[in-house]
Amino acid sequence: MRRLATRGAAGDVGEVAAPAADSSDCARVRSLSPWRLIDLCATWNTGVCFPSTAWSRASSGVARQGLNEAEELSSAWEAHLEPLKAPRPQGLGSRERGLVLRMARQQPPPWVHAAFLLFFLSLGGAIEIPMDPSIQNELTQPPTITKQSVKDHIVDPRDNILIECEAKGNPAPSFHWTRNSRFFNIAKDPRVSMRRRSGTLVIDFRSGGRPEEYEGEYQCFARNKFGTALSNRIRLQVSKSPLWPKENLDPVVVQEGAPLTLQCNPPPGLPSPVIFWMSSSMEPITQDKRVSQGHNGDLYFSNVMLQDMQTDYSCNARFHFTHTIQQKNPFTLKVLTNHPYNDSSLRNHPDMYSARGVAERTPSFMYPQGTSSSQMVLRGMDLLLECIASGVPTPDIAWYKKGGDLPSDKAKFENFNKALRITNVSEEDSGEYFCLASNKMGSIRHTISVRVKAAPYWLDEPKNLILAPGEDGRLVCRANGNPKPTVQWMVNGEPLQSAPPNPNREVAGDTIIFRDTQISSRAVYQCNTSNEHGYLLANAFVSVLDVPPRMLSPRNQFIRVILYNRTRLDCPFFGSPIPTLRWFKNGQGSNLDGGNYHVYENGSLEIKMIRKEDQGIYTCVATNILGKAENQVRLEVKDPTRIYRMPEDQVVKRGTTVQLECRVKHDPSLKLTVSWLKDDEPLYIGNRMKKEDDSLTIFGVAERDQGSYTCVASTELDQDLAKAYLTVLADQATPTNRLAALPKGRPDRPRDLELTDLAERSVRLTWIPGDDNNSPITDYVVQFEEDQFQPGVWHDHSKFPGSVNSAILQLSPYVNYQFRVIAVNEVGSSHPSLPSERYRTSGAPPESNPSDVKGEGTRKNNMEITWTPMNATSAFGPNLRYIVKWRRRETRETWNNVTVWGSRYVVGQTPVYVPYEIRVQAENDFGKAPEPDTVIGYSGEDYPRAAPTEVKIRVLNSTAISLQWNRVYSDTVQGQLREYRAYYWRESSLLKNLWVSQKRQQASFPGDRPRGVVSRLFPYSNYKLEMVVVNGRGDGPRSETKEFTTPEGVPSAPRRFRVRQPNLETINLEWDHPEHPNGILIGYTLKYVAFNGTKVGKQMVENFSPNQTKFSMQRADPVSRYRFTLSARTQVGSGEAVTEESPAPPNEATPTAAPDEQSIWNVTVLPNSKWANITWKHNFGPGTDFVVEYIDSNHTKKTVPVKAQAQPIQLTDLYPGMTYTLRVYSRDNEGISSTVITFMTSTAYTNNQADIATQGWFIGLMCAIALLVLILLIVCFIKRSRGGKYPVREKKDVPLGPEDPKEEDGSFDYSDEDNKPLQGSQTSLDGTIKQQESDDSLVDYGEGGEGQFNEDGSFIGQYTVKKDKEETEGNESSEATSPVNAIYSLA
């Protein structure tokens, strides 16, 4: 049991709105029951057509009428199943809401398919045993041929021979073959084998043998205990490409202007070779209406010119299977002429021939000869008629058909109008055709009588027949052809005449009638219809099933539905004879039917409107004469989801905050999810947005926030939508007057709507504006509502300036209009006005047709025609419907047509991938729309039937190969060729004990191409490869498996390269072997270099053996860093290298392992005085942008945007000696950031000293300069100052002042800076200050004035009397002048 429903997140089921069906299809289904009127349609109020049990009861009658009618029933039912797979919700306008039921996102469960298939079992249509394993194991089935080789099977003598034969059945069939109508004993021939679980023959010539010995006619027999199925008679032929016979050709002498035929006469090949003409230098022969190649391969010159001597002519034959070209010895022309000079200027002369002295003559036919001929062609083939004429000037060819016109849709001209090709010939193409050759000298005609014969073709192909015991049925085998084909019946591969008699079977020509069938009637019947041009062979089995009822759906289902919705419960079942079905609720004894319940004849129970009291347990019971089966479903009713407070349209200024409300009421037992859409796309909630359960808030509104916002409130079963539009205004200038400063608001709604000037297609609408609330009205929006297609839904009709209040509205026919008006100013939109009165326009025929008409196959034997339906304003009248017409392209068959009320129609029983002409015309009760355009569509594709052949592999390098193959024939593609595809997998590595993944990979080569390249292979490996052809349906058969080996390559990078520093002197390196050696490892190469800032040392290289994975080294200094680069080597060379650095200086972040989530880590800073290099690691995808943010000691923040993959980054505006903090974060998400690290730039001179501090010449130079400066200072101040420090008091009994500092020895020392006298002066015994000899005396500078205190108090003392020089010298101290004192005096 199930409803037509969709499954929720927790496995529950939600109802789906029923799509409308085409009532004409229901009528068509009913018309298939001519013996009595049976209601085959169980129709909802919306018009959905479902098969009823009456349909099932009609199955035996359908079998009596012929399985073609059953197939039409099947196609009609399948056509109505398609809309149920993807029902469409109703469209929603702005600020509208409505219940939109959740759609299914997965395929229906397998039992649904089984139920549909078992409906078809009762109809005798195409038979497929349901996929339910229990049914498959129980139901028996005679054999059915599923795959076989073509009737004329031509094989390449260089390959093994493959003759295909596949079949299915239960039990699995066994196989045997006949060759030339005699039993073919496979066991006696060691070259012949049969594939396992298959009848396909494989003839192997790798050990020798001639393929020609196996030519003949083969037939496959598939047998189990219920019958035997036969394949076609497969004629096996070996392709032949014989050599061209050697011959010596004399030069061909011909008079200029004469006709000439160069005969090719290629050797006969199988299949026939392709002929083309070239010169001996392999230049193609230029062809035109004068020189051209005929269909027989000969080269015809309508008239020979002197220029034709400039090259020779060689016929070439290309043979398909061997792909070889054989060249015939070239012809050499010798042209005799009256004008020996080949003047190129005469080639374009208007009278070229007379200018060269060539006589003009009337046309004559070179091929065919004479005035008439005849030709026979088979129906469905191409007819090629050819006329090649000679003459001077070169004749023109025209084609005609006596008594009629050439079929324009099938006829095309080739070879410069010398050939007429008519494709897909039918009987109406027979008759007389003639070609007319004419030039200015005259004309001539040739008549060709065309007769169209036909190999047998199906009118009614026999189909498999499944019956219940005691039922009647029939097999029909009708075919046509010219001459009329004969029909021969066989049973299990034997002529029916020699089969045991069966009283329940009656043969009536092309029909076998079965009456009161029993289990013993099971068998496989063959119908062979043939004439002199070919044959058709079809298998059809008769199976009799005797099965008690059984349920196909899961037992005890639990279904939740929404209150007040319509619900349909199905109870798929199977049984033979067809069981009857009844429904019960809560164990009640009465059958459910009537009132709110309706039981369709196919057993489905519909509840028209779900109410709370409909909750309960429903039981369906299926009964036939063999027993009964039942199933239950528990139905639970839930409250609907409703948005009761909807978001409103708003007009806001940029930079403000806006809130959109969305308050929801829902069933508390269901999980509610509220999401938002912007412009019908999922809304990304960024940092400026905040989503709560009942609202959406946008902070700092920007222009990009303008648009429509949709609140989606959904549960597992249903959802509700509400939409509002947000308008963002730019910043306005500051108001300059009192009126502008008044508060502004939305305008009031317009009022008093009035309709005047009523006409068929127009009306005048007048309204009174509302108050603009201090903001002028800029626009009026007129909306309309119609009550036929979408009642209650308002649509925008037109927009008018805010200065008008009356407008003429253009209307569509047959619409019952109602209008309202909305005023708009810069603040927002007013509430809509009250609606106007209604006005209905008169009807008219549609003026347009539906758009987007397409024709595409959904399965191999149908074509689905779809279109975009027309809306209410284009319907123009009641009962809008569509006339769908179709016919095969390039045929003159009449148009098929059907009337459809929906937007799709499925054409059944179509050939595989053929073009159709399609027209869809709208029609209502007033008439039809104009004639529609013709659209080309295609029926469904089938899987390709052939695989690429001659697959050749050439190894390009260790990781790439070149592929070349033979393209398949276009008729085997059975669809549009999408690509050739190579499946390849790594079988093993040439290295022992190395595990490899054998996962299949693929390489695609789009289009019809014969070659391609497969790259990214692993070196030093064994590979296998298969080729397929891919069309829109899928892959075709696989080609023969090819094997190839890639040569040795370079290895991948060593794994887990680790650099450790146990102390400041030692660095240890460890690594693992490469994941992909790609060959035999011969060792490792380690390169390392020391660096310090921008200084880089000499690179060192170490080579290790392939088994060594460790290395230790001693550091040269504790400051420098080291960069290590490690790679592995094979004989080919070094592979990918891995690089690590060590040790990390204090300014670098410690590396950490890459996290699982998106993150930034291992930020590294290499600073200098004015710049720093920044690198980091991350696990973001390609194309991610970053921002580097750094802050200096003054708290100045700067950012640098970084494009993806732009590392390292250099910061160039840094200050020397300053401390910085730095982080890196994602530009798209600032929350994803690295850790903050701190670094300091060096001072402006530090790096220079550090760079040369260890240089000996620099140290010596600095020492010499310092010593020289010291010596100069000493010499200088010895001359300028002879004194130093003197005690101011001898040890005398002189009283001290209370503030005088005193040393222990009684002497004063002016060591305190504030009390220190000026150097160069002396203190006398009586405390007075005497002048030194120095000319720099401050007394001199002071002009004899008294000493004063400076602001800092550094000058202490009093200069009273200026002594003469002699007095000063007499009082000099006896102390030696010290250099230290000299330096003090300098200071």
Side-chain angles (χ1 to χ4, degrees), residues 653 730-737 740-741 744 826:
K653 290 184 178 181
D731 294 335
Q732 301 294 323
T734 304
T736 58
N737 55 62
K744 299 179 181 180
E826 67 174 10

Side-chain angles (χ1 to χ4, degrees), residues 1149-1153 1160-1165 1175-1177 1207 1234-1235:
T1150 304
T1152 57
I1160 303 170
W1161 72 97
N1162 275 21
V1163 179
T1164 303
V1165 182
T1175 61
W1176 62 89
K1177 295 183 179 180
Q1207 297 188 51
S1234 69
T1235 57

Side-chain angles (χ1 to χ4, degrees), residues 1112-1315:
S1112 296
M1113 62 168 288
Q1114 298 297 316
R1115 297 172 61 99
D1117 64 84
V1119 177
S1120 299
R1121 297 189 62 189
Y1122 288 85
R1123 183 178 295 112
F1124 300 94
T1125 302
L1126 181 69
S1127 61
R1129 305 191 312 275
T1130 62
Q1131 293 289 350
V1132 179
S1134 295
E1136 180 184 356
V1138 58
T1139 301
E1140 290 291 341
E1141 295 179 356
S1142 175
N1147 283 340
E1148 295 190 19
T1150 304
T1152 57
D1156 295 334
E1157 298 180 355
Q1158 286 187 331
S1159 149
I1160 303 170
W1161 72 97
N1162 275 21
V1163 179
T1164 303
V1165 182
L1166 297 177
N1168 206 310
S1169 60
K1170 294 184 179 181
W1171 52 265
N1173 286 336
I1174 315 298
T1175 61
W1176 62 89
K1177 295 183 179 180
H1178 65 88
N1179 54 6
F1180 287 82
T1184 304
D1185 294 343
F1186 300 92
V1187 176
V1188 177
E1189 177 187 276
Y1190 57 101
I1191 306 173
D1192 60 19
S1193 304
N1194 298 325
H1195 305 288
T1196 301
K1197 180 190 295 186
K1198 295 184 180 180
T1199 58
V1200 177
V1202 181
K1203 292 294 183 182
Q1205 309 299 329
Q1207 297 188 51
I1209 301 305
Q1210 189 174 83
L1211 307 180
T1212 58
D1213 57 348
L1214 307 182
Y1215 292 98
M1218 184 167 287
T1219 301
Y1220 291 85
T1221 58
L1222 178 142
R1223 71 182 181 115
V1224 181
Y1225 61 87
S1226 168
R1227 187 172 184 179
D1228 296 330
N1229 188 350
E1230 187 175 347
I1232 302 179
S1233 170
S1234 69
T1235 57
V1236 177
I1237 67 170
T1238 302
F1239 70 95
M1240 176 184 292
T1241 56
S1242 58
T1243 58
Y1245 54 84
T1246 299
N1247 282 343
N1248 294 332
Q1249 288 184 345
D1251 290 342
I1252 61 176
T1254 59
Q1255 302 299 316
W1257 63 268
F1258 179 77
I1259 297 174
L1261 178 63
M1262 292 297 102
C1263 291
I1265 293 174
L1267 181 60
L1268 181 60
V1269 171
L1270 183 61
I1271 293 174
L1272 290 176
L1273 288 174
I1274 293 173
V1275 172
C1276 179
F1277 286 102
I1278 286 176
K1279 291 181 178 182
R1280 298 173 67 90
S1281 176
R1282 297 194 181 103
K1285 172 184 174 186
Y1286 291 86
V1288 297
R1289 180 182 300 274
E1290 298 292 342
K1291 294 183 179 180
K1292 293 182 180 182
D1293 297 330
V1294 178
L1296 300 175
E1299 69 281 348
D1300 292 338
K1302 182 179 180 182
E1303 291 187 353
E1304 293 180 359
D1305 58 357
S1307 63
F1308 290 93
D1309 186 1
Y1310 291 94
S1311 60
D1312 186 271
E1313 186 175 351
D1314 292 337
N1315 298 318

Side-chain angles (χ1 to χ4, degrees), residues 940-1174:
E941 301 179 68
D942 199 358
Y943 295 105
R945 291 188 286 108
T949 57
E950 289 293 315
V951 179
K952 298 179 181 178
I953 299 176
R954 181 167 63 92
V955 177
L956 300 178
N957 51 47
S958 61
T959 61
I961 61 171
S962 172
L963 289 178
Q964 188 172 353
W965 60 88
N966 288 349
R967 294 178 291 188
V968 299
Y969 289 109
S970 58
D971 59 343
T972 65
V973 177
Q974 302 197 107
Q976 181 182 3
L977 194 152
R978 299 289 180 86
E979 62 184 30
Y980 287 89
R981 183 178 296 166
Y983 289 99
Y984 59 95
W985 62 96
R986 192 181 182 191
E987 188 72 16
S988 62
S989 172
L990 294 179
L991 296 172
K992 294 183 179 180
N993 302 323
L994 180 64
W995 179 89
V996 298
S997 171
Q998 296 183 344
K999 180 181 178 182
R1000 285 179 175 251
Q1001 297 175 286
Q1002 66 183 46
S1004 298
F1005 311 104
D1008 190 9
R1009 60 170 70 179
R1011 61 183 59 87
V1013 174
V1014 178
S1015 58
R1016 297 185 180 181
L1017 302 175
F1018 285 100
Y1020 215 53
S1021 301
N1022 295 316
Y1023 276 88
K1024 290 186 178 181
L1025 179 142
E1026 297 173 340
M1027 292 285 294
V1028 298
V1029 181
V1030 182
N1031 63 12
R1033 185 77 183 274
D1035 292 2
R1038 299 181 185 271
S1039 68
E1040 179 184 359
T1041 302
K1042 296 290 185 178
E1043 298 181 358
F1044 64 92
T1045 301
T1046 53
E1048 190 173 8
V1050 296
S1052 62
R1055 292 180 296 170
R1056 291 187 285 275
F1057 185 31
R1058 304 173 295 280
V1059 180
R1060 297 189 176 95
Q1061 180 184 342
N1063 51 58
L1064 295 178
E1065 292 79 22
T1066 306
I1067 298 177
N1068 295 332
L1069 310 180
E1070 295 182 10
W1071 63 89
D1072 293 344
H1073 295 298
E1075 182 180 5
H1076 302 293
N1078 297 335
I1080 300 175
L1081 289 181
I1082 62 173
Y1084 295 92
T1085 298
L1086 175 67
K1087 300 178 181 179
Y1088 60 94
V1089 61
F1091 64 95
N1092 184 0
T1094 58
K1095 180 183 175 183
V1096 179
K1098 180 180 178 182
Q1099 179 174 280
M1100 309 297 293
V1101 179
E1102 299 281 350
N1103 290 315
F1104 308 119
S1105 67
N1107 296 325
Q1108 182 174 347
T1109 59
K1110 295 182 179 180
F1111 176 67
S1112 296
M1113 62 168 288
Q1114 298 297 316
R1115 297 172 61 99
D1117 64 84
V1119 177
S1120 299
R1121 297 189 62 189
Y1122 288 85
R1123 183 178 295 112
F1124 300 94
T1125 302
L1126 181 69
S1127 61
R1129 305 191 312 275
T1130 62
Q1131 293 289 350
V1132 179
S1134 295
E1136 180 184 356
V1138 58
T1139 301
E1140 290 291 341
E1141 295 179 356
S1142 175
N1147 283 340
E1148 295 190 19
T1150 304
T1152 57
D1156 295 334
E1157 298 180 355
Q1158 286 187 331
S1159 149
I1160 303 170
W1161 72 97
N1162 275 21
V1163 179
T1164 303
V1165 182
L1166 297 177
N1168 206 310
S1169 60
K1170 294 184 179 181
W1171 52 265
N1173 286 336
I1174 315 298

